[in-house]
Amino acid sequence: AKGRARSVRAKGGAKRRAARRKPLLVSAARAWQPRRPLCSPARPFEVELAAGRTYAWCACGHSKKQPFCDGAHRRAARGAAPLRFEAAATGRVKLCGCKRTRSPPFCDGSHAR
């Protein structure tokens, strides 16, 4: 049946359950976010952005260069992808660290709730 884990024969004839990937959220507001992102520090990161430059915000929480992506999702959070965005203006902004924001990549205070 569709949606069920299937049995797979492993070496030696023993049966084991096939691992299933966690699906991505499909709601319009959080389509970018994996079901359970790793929560980096539950506080925003205040960073300087340059107008017109494209940035990749880490949506999985595994990056060592928070709040920006370093590609760690390829090994640690398959199916997750960074949110790419272009800065509208030069200046300091607060980017979300808890990954629960409803206005990614910017902090909306969700970490305090």
Side-chain angles (χ1 to χ4, degrees):
K2 192 174 183 178
R4 292 186 185 171
R6 61 180 195 262
S7 294
V8 178
R9 288 224 180 255
K11 290 182 181 177
K15 285 188 175 183
R16 64 176 174 80
R17 293 255 179 215
R20 293 179 53 194
R21 291 186 186 166
K22 291 183 180 176
L24 297 179
L25 289 177
V26 293
S27 69
R30 298 178 126 185
W32 53 268
Q33 188 177 17
R35 194 164 285 277
R36 290 195 179 143
L38 178 67
C39 185
S40 349
R43 59 176 174 74
F45 292 93
E46 194 168 331
V47 295
E48 182 78 27
L49 300 181
R53 184 167 174 202
T54 301
Y55 296 91
W57 176 73
C58 173
C60 72
H62 291 277
S63 175
K64 300 274 188 238
K65 297 180 178 180
Q66 288 291 337
F68 303 108
C69 179
D70 67 358
H73 62 274
R74 291 184 195 118
R75 283 174 278 117
R78 292 180 184 232
L83 175 72
R84 298 188 198 300
F85 70 99
E86 187 175 317
T90 299
R92 296 191 70 75
V93 296
K94 291 183 179 181
L95 298 182
C96 181
C98 72
K99 313 302 179 198
R100 294 186 181 104
T101 182
R102 295 208 183 269
S103 57
F106 304 103
C107 179
D108 67 356
S110 293
H111 59 275
R113 294 180 206 142

